[in-house]
Coordinates of all heavy atoms in Angstrom, one line a residue:
M1 N -15.9 -13.2 19.9 CA -16.5 -14.4 19.3 C -16.7 -15.4 20.4 O -16.1 -15.4 21.4 CB -15.6 -14.9 18.2 CG -15.6 -14.0 16.9 SD -14.8 -14.8 15.6 CE -13.1 -14.6 16.1
V2 N -17.7 -16.3 20.1 CA -18.0 -17.3 21.1 C -17.7 -18.7 20.6 O -17.5 -19.0 19.5 CB -19.6 -17.2 21.4 CG1 -19.9 -15.8 22.0 CG2 -20.4 -17.4 20.1
L13 N -12.6 -17.6 9.9 CA -11.9 -16.8 8.9 C -10.4 -16.7 9.3 O -10.0 -16.2 10.3 CB -12.5 -15.4 8.8 CG -13.8 -15.4 8.1 CD1 -14.7 -14.3 8.6 CD2 -13.7 -15.3 6.6
E22 N -7.2 -7.8 6.0 CA -7.9 -7.9 7.3 C -9.3 -7.2 7.2 O -10.3 -7.7 7.7 CB -7.1 -7.2 8.4 CG -5.9 -8.0 8.8 CD -5.1 -7.3 9.9 OE1 -5.7 -6.5 10.6 OE2 -3.9 -7.6 10.1
V23 N -9.3 -6.1 6.5 CA -10.6 -5.4 6.3 C -11.6 -6.3 5.5 O -12.7 -6.5 5.8 CB -10.4 -4.1 5.5 CG1 -11.8 -3.4 5.2 CG2 -9.6 -3.1 6.3
S25 N -11.6 -9.6 5.3 CA -12.1 -10.6 6.2 C -13.2 -10.2 7.1 O -14.2 -10.9 7.3 CB -10.9 -11.2 7.0 OG -10.1 -12.0 6.2
E26 N -13.1 -8.9 7.6 CA -14.1 -8.5 8.5 C -15.4 -8.1 7.8 O -16.5 -8.2 8.3 CB -13.6 -7.3 9.3 CG -12.5 -7.7 10.3 CD -12.2 -6.6 11.4 OE1 -12.7 -5.5 11.2 OE2 -11.5 -7.0 12.4
E27 N -15.3 -7.8 6.5 CA -16.5 -7.6 5.7 C -17.1 -9.0 5.5 O -18.4 -9.1 5.6 CB -16.2 -7.0 4.3 CG -17.4 -6.9 3.5 CD -17.1 -6.4 2.0 OE1 -16.4 -5.4 1.9 OE2 -17.6 -7.0 1.1
L28 N -16.4 -10.0 5.2 CA -16.9 -11.3 5.0 C -17.5 -11.8 6.3 O -18.6 -12.4 6.3 CB -15.8 -12.3 4.6 CG -15.3 -12.1 3.1 CD1 -14.2 -13.1 2.9 CD2 -16.4 -12.3 2.1
A29 N -16.9 -11.5 7.4 CA -17.4 -11.9 8.7 C -18.8 -11.2 8.9 O -19.8 -11.8 9.5 CB -16.5 -11.5 9.8
G30 N -18.9 -10.0 8.5 CA -20.2 -9.2 8.7 C -21.3 -9.9 7.8 O -22.4 -10.0 8.3
R31 N -20.9 -10.2 6.6 CA -21.9 -10.8 5.7 C -22.4 -12.2 6.2 O -23.6 -12.5 6.2 CB -21.3 -10.9 4.3 CG -21.1 -9.6 3.6 CD -20.6 -9.8 2.2 NE -20.3 -8.5 1.5 CZ -21.2 -7.7 1.0 NH1 -22.5 -8.1 1.0 NH2 -20.9 -6.6 0.4
A33 N -22.2 -13.3 9.4 CA -22.9 -13.2 10.6 C -24.4 -12.7 10.3 O -25.3 -13.2 11.0 CB -22.3 -12.1 11.5
L39 N -19.4 -17.1 14.1 CA -18.0 -16.9 13.9 C -17.2 -17.5 15.0 O -17.5 -17.2 16.2 CB -17.7 -15.4 13.7 CG -18.5 -14.7 12.6 CD1 -18.3 -13.2 12.7 CD2 -18.2 -15.2 11.3
V40 N -16.2 -18.3 14.7 CA -15.3 -18.9 15.7 C -13.9 -18.6 15.4 O -13.5 -18.3 14.3 CB -15.6 -20.4 15.9 CG1 -17.0 -20.7 16.3 CG2 -15.2 -21.1 14.6
D41 N -13.0 -18.7 16.4 CA -11.6 -18.3 16.2 C -10.8 -19.4 15.5 O -10.0 -19.1 14.7 CB -11.0 -18.1 17.6 CG -11.5 -16.8 18.2 OD1 -11.4 -15.7 17.6 OD2 -12.0 -16.9 19.4
I170 N -25.2 -4.7 9.8 CA -24.5 -5.4 10.9 C -24.5 -4.5 12.1 O -24.2 -3.3 12.1 CB -23.0 -5.7 10.5 CG1 -23.0 -6.5 9.2 CG2 -22.3 -6.4 11.6 CD1 -23.8 -7.8 9.3
G171 N -24.8 -5.1 13.2 CA -24.7 -4.4 14.5 C -24.5 -5.4 15.6 O -24.6 -6.6 15.4
D172 N -24.3 -5.0 16.8 CA -24.1 -5.9 17.9 C -25.5 -6.3 18.5 O -25.8 -6.0 19.7 CB -23.3 -5.2 19.0 CG -21.8 -5.1 18.5 OD1 -21.4 -5.8 17.7 OD2 -21.2 -4.2 19.1
V185 N -23.1 -0.7 8.4 CA -21.7 -1.1 8.1 C -21.7 -2.6 7.8 O -22.1 -3.3 8.7 CB -20.7 -0.7 9.1 CG1 -19.3 -1.2 8.8 CG2 -20.7 0.9 9.2
I186 N -21.1 -3.0 6.7 CA -21.0 -4.4 6.4 C -19.6 -4.8 7.0 O -18.6 -4.9 6.2 CB -21.1 -4.7 4.9 CG1 -22.3 -4.1 4.4 CG2 -21.0 -6.2 4.7 CD1 -22.4 -4.1 2.9
R187 N -19.5 -5.1 8.3 CA -18.3 -5.5 8.9 C -18.6 -6.0 10.3 O -19.5 -5.6 10.9 CB -17.4 -4.2 9.0 CG -16.0 -4.5 9.5 CD -15.1 -3.3 9.2 NE -13.7 -3.6 9.8 CZ -12.7 -2.7 9.6 NH1 -12.9 -1.6 8.9 NH2 -11.5 -3.0 10.1
R188 N -17.8 -7.0 10.7 CA -17.8 -7.5 12.0 C -16.4 -7.7 12.5 O -15.6 -8.3 11.9 CB -18.5 -8.9 12.1 CG -18.5 -9.5 13.4 CD -19.3 -8.7 14.5 NE -20.7 -8.6 14.2 CZ -21.7 -9.5 14.5 NH1 -21.4 -10.6 15.1 NH2 -22.9 -9.3 14.2
R189 N -16.0 -7.0 13.6 CA -14.7 -7.1 14.1 C -14.3 -8.5 14.5 O -15.1 -9.2 15.1 CB -14.5 -6.1 15.2 CG -14.7 -4.6 14.8 CD -13.7 -3.8 15.6 NE -12.3 -4.0 15.1 CZ -11.2 -3.7 15.8 NH1 -11.4 -3.1 17.0 NH2 -10.0 -3.9 15.3
L190 N -13.1 -8.9 14.2 CA -12.6 -10.2 14.5 C -11.5 -10.2 15.6 O -10.9 -11.2 15.9 CB -12.0 -10.9 13.2 CG -13.0 -11.1 12.1 CD1 -12.3 -11.7 10.9 CD2 -14.1 -12.1 12.6
D191 N -11.3 -9.0 16.2 CA -10.3 -8.9 17.3 C -10.7 -7.7 18.1 O -11.6 -7.0 17.8 CB -8.9 -8.7 16.7 CG -8.7 -7.5 15.9 OD1 -8.9 -6.4 16.4 OD2 -8.5 -7.6 14.7
G192 N -10.0 -7.6 19.3 CA -10.4 -6.5 20.2 C -9.3 -5.5 20.3 O -9.2 -4.8 21.3
R193 N -8.5 -5.4 19.2 CA -7.4 -4.4 19.2 C -7.9 -3.0 19.3 O -9.0 -2.7 18.8 CB -6.5 -4.5 18.0 CG -5.9 -5.9 17.8 CD -5.1 -6.0 16.5 NE -5.9 -5.7 15.4 CZ -5.6 -6.0 14.1 NH1 -4.4 -6.6 13.9 NH2 -6.3 -5.7 13.1
P194 N -7.2 -2.0 19.9 CA -7.6 -0.7 20.0 C -7.4 0.1 18.7 O -7.6 1.3 18.7 CB -6.8 -0.1 21.2 CG -5.5 -0.9 21.1 CD -5.9 -2.3 20.7
W195 N -6.9 -0.5 17.7 CA -6.7 0.1 16.4 C -7.4 -0.7 15.3 O -7.6 -1.9 15.5 CB -5.3 0.4 16.0 CG -4.5 -0.9 15.8 CD1 -3.9 -1.7 16.7 CD2 -4.3 -1.6 14.5 NE1 -3.3 -2.7 16.2 CE2 -3.5 -2.7 14.8 CE3 -4.6 -1.3 13.2 CZ2 -3.1 -3.6 13.8 CZ3 -4.3 -2.2 12.2 CH2 -3.5 -3.3 12.5
A196 N -7.7 -0.1 14.2 CA -8.4 -0.9 13.1 C -8.0 -0.3 11.8 O -8.0 0.9 11.6 CB -9.9 -1.0 13.3
P197 N -7.8 -1.2 10.8 CA -7.6 -0.7 9.4 C -8.9 -0.2 8.9 O -10.0 -0.8 9.2 CB -7.0 -1.9 8.7 CG -7.5 -3.1 9.4 CD -7.6 -2.6 10.9
L198 N -8.9 0.8 8.1 CA -10.1 1.4 7.4 C -9.7 1.7 6.0 O -8.8 2.4 5.7 CB -10.5 2.6 8.2 CG -11.7 3.4 7.6 CD1 -12.9 2.6 7.5 CD2 -11.9 4.7 8.4
E231 N -18.1 4.3 8.6 CA -17.4 3.1 9.1 C -16.5 3.6 10.3 O -16.3 2.8 11.3 CB -16.6 2.4 8.0 CG -16.0 1.1 8.5 CD -15.6 0.2 7.3 OE1 -16.3 0.3 6.3 OE2 -14.6 -0.5 7.5
A232 N -15.9 4.8 10.2 CA -15.0 5.3 11.2 C -15.8 5.4 12.5 O -15.4 5.1 13.6 CB -14.4 6.6 10.8
W234 N -18.6 3.8 13.3 CA -18.9 2.4 13.7 C -17.8 1.8 14.5 O -17.9 1.2 15.5 CB -19.3 1.6 12.5 CG -19.7 0.2 12.7 CD1 -21.0 -0.2 13.0 CD2 -18.9 -1.0 12.8 NE1 -21.0 -1.6 13.2 CE2 -19.8 -2.1 13.0 CE3 -17.5 -1.2 12.6 CZ2 -19.3 -3.4 13.1 CZ3 -17.1 -2.5 12.6 CH2 -17.9 -3.6 12.9
L235 N -16.5 2.0 14.0 CA -15.4 1.4 14.7 C -15.1 2.1 16.0 O -14.8 1.5 17.0 CB -14.1 1.6 13.8 CG -14.1 0.7 12.5 CD1 -13.0 1.2 11.6 CD2 -13.9 -0.7 12.9
A236 N -15.3 3.4 16.1 CA -15.2 4.2 17.3 C -16.2 3.7 18.4 O -15.8 3.5 19.6 CB -15.4 5.6 17.1
E237 N -17.4 3.3 18.0 CA -18.4 2.8 18.9 C -18.0 1.5 19.5 O -18.5 1.1 20.5 CB -19.7 2.7 18.2 CG -20.4 4.0 17.9 CD -21.6 3.9 17.1 OE1 -22.0 2.7 16.7 OE2 -22.3 4.9 16.7
R238 N -17.1 0.8 18.8 CA -16.6 -0.5 19.3 C -15.2 -0.4 19.9 O -14.5 -1.4 19.9 CB -16.6 -1.5 18.1 CG -18.0 -2.0 17.8 CD -18.4 -2.2 16.4 NE -19.8 -2.5 16.2 CZ -20.7 -1.6 16.2 NH1 -20.4 -0.3 16.2 NH2 -22.0 -1.9 16.1
G239 N -14.8 0.7 20.4 CA -13.6 0.9 21.2 C -12.4 1.2 20.4 O -11.3 1.2 21.0
V240 N -12.4 1.4 19.1 CA -11.2 1.7 18.3 C -10.8 3.1 18.7 O -11.6 4.1 18.6 CB -11.5 1.5 16.8 CG1 -10.3 2.1 16.0 CG2 -11.7 0.1 16.5
K241 N -9.5 3.3 19.0 CA -8.9 4.6 19.2 C -8.1 5.1 18.1 O -7.9 6.3 17.9 CB -8.0 4.5 20.5 CG -8.7 4.0 21.7 CD -9.8 5.0 22.2 CE -10.4 4.5 23.5 NZ -11.5 5.5 23.9
E242 N -7.5 4.2 17.3 CA -6.7 4.6 16.2 C -7.2 4.0 14.9 O -7.4 2.8 14.8 CB -5.2 4.2 16.4 CG -4.3 4.5 15.2 CD -2.9 4.0 15.4 OE1 -2.4 3.9 16.5 OE2 -2.3 3.7 14.3
L243 N -7.4 4.9 13.9 CA -7.8 4.4 12.5 C -6.5 4.4 11.7 O -5.7 5.3 11.6 CB -8.8 5.4 11.9 CG -10.1 5.6 12.6 CD1 -10.9 6.7 11.9 CD2 -10.9 4.3 12.7
F244 N -6.3 3.2 11.0 CA -5.2 3.0 10.1 C -5.7 3.0 8.7 O -6.3 2.0 8.2 CB -4.5 1.7 10.5 CG -3.2 1.5 9.8 CD1 -2.3 2.5 9.6 CD2 -2.9 0.2 9.2 CE1 -1.1 2.2 9.0 CE2 -1.7 -0.1 8.6 CZ -0.8 1.0 8.5
I276 N -12.3 8.6 18.4 CA -11.1 8.4 17.7 C -10.0 9.4 18.1 O -10.3 10.7 18.1 CB -11.4 8.6 16.2 CG1 -12.3 7.5 15.7 CG2 -10.0 8.5 15.4 CD1 -11.8 6.1 15.9
E455 N 2.1 -3.3 13.9 CA 2.6 -4.7 13.6 C 4.0 -4.8 13.0 O 4.7 -5.7 13.3 CB 1.6 -5.5 12.7 CG 0.2 -5.6 13.3 CD -0.7 -6.5 12.4 OE1 -0.6 -6.5 11.2 OE2 -1.7 -7.1 13.0

Side-chain angles (χ1 to χ4, degrees):
M1 291 186 284
V2 296
L13 286 150
E22 292 182 19
V23 177
S25 284
E26 292 197 346
E27 178 185 309
L28 291 178
R31 292 184 182 279
L39 306 173
V40 298
D41 291 302
I170 303 301
D172 291 336
V185 173
I186 308 171
R187 185 168 178 175
R188 176 65 63 86
R189 296 219 68 201
L190 295 175
D191 59 65
R193 299 177 306 195
W195 67 274
L198 174 60
E231 192 163 325
W234 183 88
L235 290 168
E237 290 174 358
R238 282 146 187 83
V240 170
K241 301 297 182 182
E242 176 185 330
L243 299 175
F244 188 45
I276 296 301
E455 298 183 334

